[in-house]
Amino acid sequence: MKNQTIEDNVRRLKNLLVDFDIAMLTTVQVRDGSLHSRPMMAQVSGFDGQLWFFSRFNSAKVDEIRAGSQVNLAYTDPSSGRYISISGTAYIERDRRKMQDLWSEIYRAWFPRGLDEPDVALLRIEVVEAELWDAATQATGERMRFQ
Amino acid sequence: MKNQTIEDNVRRLKNLLVDFDIAMLTTVQVRDGSLHSRPMMAQVSGFDGQLWFFSRFNSAKVDEIRAGSQVNLAYTDPSSGRYISISGTAYIERDRRKMQDLWSEIYRAWFPRGLDEPDVALLRIEVVEAELWDAATQATGERMRFQ
């Protein structure tokens, strides 16, 4: 029964995330514990319990992510009054095959040479929990578990 | 010179924030270190180096904020391509006079009894740093210091 509930949540969150192009990724700076966020181009392909983002390998956020770092992703749509907070753990991946699977021409704005760019990396976020605010359903911090 | 620069940044950030109604506030859960965010109604009055939000005193985010907790505020406007990350330290305040100064009827949706609500509190965020992404000026993570 527990697995079924998680599967339901995965399907539901997948249907919600399809409307968002950008997520704000918040990480904790190791040096002083300060919290920093930045916009990330959301993945076009489906959500299956993990979220993937292309990133430069040499970047502050990658420096701030050690294997298993806790992060937050915020998806915001003021026009519909829908807000999603995702709590998860982050990993840096450099698997070429996965990059090829996830590549879309939309990323060329950041990586003009595509996957030939030496500095390209992936962030993989294992989703632990999502919280939803939705003016349409009057959800105010409704929780969905993924682990 | 240093103070002058901070004053410039305060003026600049004040002009930017006036366009945003909602901020996503990210806090670190004390128990397990997980990061959670939630939408907050942004203050209508001017920014002077601190940001204020009305909040219920009995709420998860207040539990997660101890004096001096590090937090992040994310302001997002996909339509203009403008994103702001604010790193700061948070404090819970229950000063009645400050609440009266900051009160606006817009908060009545959350506090039907206004400032007579026993559960009303303020979050005060001392801003340390802001980072700006702006499609109009091609800013990509431009930093502004406030301390």
Side-chain angles (χ1 to χ4, degrees):
Chain A
M1 282 300 282
K2 192 159 179 256
N3 283 331
Q4 204 177 9
T5 304
I6 287 174
E7 278 170 30
D8 291 344
N9 288 344
V10 166
R11 196 162 35 238
R12 189 163 167 225
L13 188 55
K14 181 179 179 175
N15 288 336
L16 287 166
L17 293 184
V18 78
D19 291 333
F20 295 87
D21 295 325
I22 297 283
M24 286 295 271
L25 169 69
T26 304
T27 52
V28 181
Q29 195 172 88
V30 178
R31 182 170 51 78
D32 63 6
S34 60
L35 275 65
H36 297 261
S37 63
R38 73 285 287 164
M40 302 286 287
M41 177 66 62
Q43 248 302 309
V44 285
S45 63
F47 169 65
D48 65 354
Q50 299 188 109
L51 289 163
W52 296 82
F53 298 88
F54 279 93
S55 168
R56 295 204 164 273
F57 189 72
N58 292 302
S59 60
K61 64 182 162 299
V62 166
D63 289 343
E64 285 167 23
I65 292 171
R66 298 284 170 273
S69 291
Q70 307 233 37
V71 301
N72 184 268
L73 289 160
Y75 297 78
T76 64
D77 182 8
S79 64
S80 70
R82 187 176 278 174
Y83 302 89
I84 303 170
S85 161
I86 291 179
S87 305
T89 48
Y91 302 84
I92 310 297
E93 307 280 357
R94 303 202 77 177
D95 181 72
R96 300 298 298 179
R97 194 159 300 180
K98 190 66 188 177
M99 288 184 195
Q100 285 159 2
D101 287 350
L102 296 176
W103 181 257
S104 151
E105 283 303 313
I106 203 167
Y107 296 115
R108 208 167 281 275
W110 292 269
F111 302 102
R113 292 162 59 196
L115 296 181
D116 293 330
E117 202 82 41
D119 197 32
V120 64
L122 289 168
L123 304 187
R124 177 171 63 85
I125 316 288
E126 290 186 358
V127 175
V128 176
E129 187 177 74
E131 288 153 277
L132 173 67
W133 290 255
D134 191 343
T137 64
Q138 300 195 306
T140 55
E142 183 186 339
R143 281 166 195 248
M144 290 176 259
R145 297 290 306 181
F146 294 87
Q147 285 185 13
Chain B
M1 283 301 282
K2 191 158 179 256
N3 283 331
Q4 203 177 10
T5 304
I6 287 174
E7 278 170 30
D8 291 345
N9 288 344
V10 167
R11 196 161 37 237
R12 189 163 167 224
L13 188 56
K14 181 179 179 174
N15 288 336
L16 287 165
L17 293 184
V18 78
D19 291 332
F20 296 87
D21 295 325
I22 297 283
M24 286 295 270
L25 170 69
T26 304
T27 51
V28 181
Q29 195 171 88
V30 178
R31 182 171 52 79
D32 63 6
S34 61
L35 275 65
H36 297 262
S37 62
R38 73 285 288 163
M40 302 288 287
M41 177 66 63
Q43 247 303 309
V44 286
S45 63
F47 169 64
D48 64 354
Q50 301 188 110
L51 289 163
W52 296 83
F53 299 88
F54 278 94
S55 169
R56 295 203 164 274
F57 188 71
N58 293 302
S59 61
K61 62 182 164 298
V62 166
D63 289 343
E64 285 167 22
I65 292 170
R66 299 282 170 275
S69 290
Q70 307 234 35
V71 300
N72 184 267
L73 289 160
Y75 296 79
T76 64
D77 183 8
S79 64
S80 69
R82 187 176 280 173
Y83 302 89
I84 303 170
S85 161
I86 291 179
S87 305
T89 48
Y91 301 83
I92 311 296
E93 307 279 356
R94 303 202 79 177
D95 182 72
R96 301 297 300 177
R97 193 160 300 181
K98 190 66 187 176
M99 289 185 196
Q100 285 159 1
D101 287 349
L102 296 176
W103 180 258
S104 150
E105 283 303 312
I106 203 166
Y107 297 115
R108 209 168 281 276
W110 292 269
F111 303 101
R113 292 162 59 197
L115 295 181
D116 293 330
E117 202 83 42
D119 198 32
V120 64
L122 289 169
L123 304 186
R124 177 171 62 85
I125 316 286
E126 290 185 359
V127 175
V128 176
E129 187 177 73
E131 288 154 277
L132 173 67
W133 290 257
D134 191 344
T137 63
Q138 299 195 306
T140 56
E142 182 186 340
R143 281 166 195 247
M144 288 175 259
R145 297 291 304 182
F146 294 87
Q147 285 185 14

